[in-house]
Amino acid sequence: MVREKIRVSTRTLQWKCVESRTDSKCLYYGRFILSPLLKGQADTIGIAMRRALLGEMEGTCITRAKSEKIPHEYSTIVGIQESVHDILMNLKEIILRSNLYGTCEASICIRGPRCVTAQDIILPPYVEIVDNTQHIASLTEPIDLCIGLQLERNRGYHIKVPNNFQDGSYPIDALFMPVRNVNHSIHSYGNEKQELLFLEIWTNGSLTPKEALYEASRNLIDLLIPFLHAEEENLHLADNEQKVSLPLLTFHDRLTQLKKKNIVLKSIFIDQLEFSPRIYNCLKKSNIHTLADLLNNSHEDLIKIEHFDIDDVKKILDTLEKHF
């Protein structure tokens, strides 16, 4: 129901893809236009969409590698051209497409001599590799290379924690972001009171720019939906607050106590009581200038003051408690 209201309120807006191309298996480009927008709206949408595309999108990466034959990250293995560090960096570059939630396991088990590529990774059926030709290692001798891999779906960029080695496994920096870059530009047209928004999106091939735009829009809407789900009882919260009981110590009790202390109420002005500027201004507008004026009003009288509520009355009581 909420999304239907959103569609109705934006029924005059139209968007279309004006350019789309595939530069490589791991680099897609798309250019989109949204119009017509009122002055200022293009910047609002452009900034929000850019942040959603870069920060709210999820991707799948290899986050850990494990092998019993690897003594440490910067070691070399006889019969393998690359160092262990180089192999980990090559694994980091492999781009995956999946519907994975959380983590799962994959593996490489190859005998040389041969070149090991992303195609040699044994994956779960719900994970696929964007570019099977991505290089991992070169085996120059008849040796076995067996590596266990951990795959994870997440968002953002996770840097491996130093010394975070578990049972011979090594963490790998993970760039989960499927969107590589986003640009937005704004152009005026017509009577210059309307704007066009252009969005340029580059992705890593795990999804198309059009898919990224759809997913980011949905994520952005999901973030804002709680603001549209205000229940009726929450909308009438202010009315309910008026019925909340005050502390047992009322203004009448406070006035009685102050008189017993022989305090000259008319000589104490409300600007001496350290009220907040808003409370002070509300009291002044209601011709309450001294402590005597204040205590001659009941808490029901104060609640009737414009922009006043039960919390303000409690704050006044707290201030009186503090000073007297």
Side-chain angles (χ1 to χ4, degrees), residues 260-276:
K260 288 181 180 179
K261 294 182 180 181
N262 296 319
I263 296 176
V264 183
L265 303 181
K266 292 184 179 180
S267 65
I268 300 177
F269 293 87
I270 61 173
D271 56 358
Q272 299 173 258
L273 299 178
E274 300 178 1
F275 290 138
S276 68

Side-chain angles (χ1 to χ4, degrees), residues 36-182:
L37 296 166
L38 298 178
K39 200 74 172 177
Q41 289 181 340
D43 201 32
T44 300
I45 297 175
I47 293 174
M49 285 303 302
R50 185 175 190 276
R51 292 185 64 89
L53 284 162
L54 293 175
E56 298 298 325
M57 305 289 294
E58 292 187 344
T60 305
C61 291
I62 300 172
T63 56
R64 188 173 287 274
K66 179 179 180 180
S67 177
E68 296 177 355
K69 296 183 179 180
I70 300 177
H72 58 82
E73 182 180 356
Y74 298 99
S75 62
T76 58
I77 300 175
V78 176
I80 301 180
Q81 183 174 319
E82 292 82 3
S83 68
V84 173
H85 177 75
D86 292 336
I87 294 175
L88 294 177
M89 290 301 99
N90 291 336
L91 291 172
K92 174 185 174 181
E93 297 299 323
I94 293 176
I95 298 172
L96 304 172
R97 180 191 296 117
S98 79
N99 294 320
L100 170 69
Y101 289 93
T103 62
C104 70
E105 304 297 325
S107 63
I108 300 173
C109 230
I110 295 295
R111 183 170 179 81
R114 59 166 295 178
C115 181
V116 183
T117 64
Q119 187 175 2
D120 298 311
I121 301 178
I122 303 172
L123 295 166
Y126 45 84
V127 181
E128 60 181 288
I129 296 171
V130 172
D131 185 3
N132 286 324
T133 65
Q134 286 180 280
H135 180 75
I136 296 176
S138 298
L139 307 185
T140 58
E141 296 182 14
I143 63 170
D144 293 325
L145 176 65
C146 292
I147 303 176
L149 303 174
Q150 176 182 281
L151 312 182
E152 181 180 345
R153 184 173 178 84
N154 213 317
R155 65 181 63 181
Y157 182 61
H158 291 194
I159 301 177
K160 63 183 180 182
V161 180
N163 302 321
N164 186 17
F165 307 119
Q166 304 170 0
D167 302 327
S169 65
Y170 300 89
I172 300 174
D173 291 345
L175 181 63
F176 294 106
M177 301 158 54
V179 177
R180 291 296 189 234
N181 193 20
V182 180

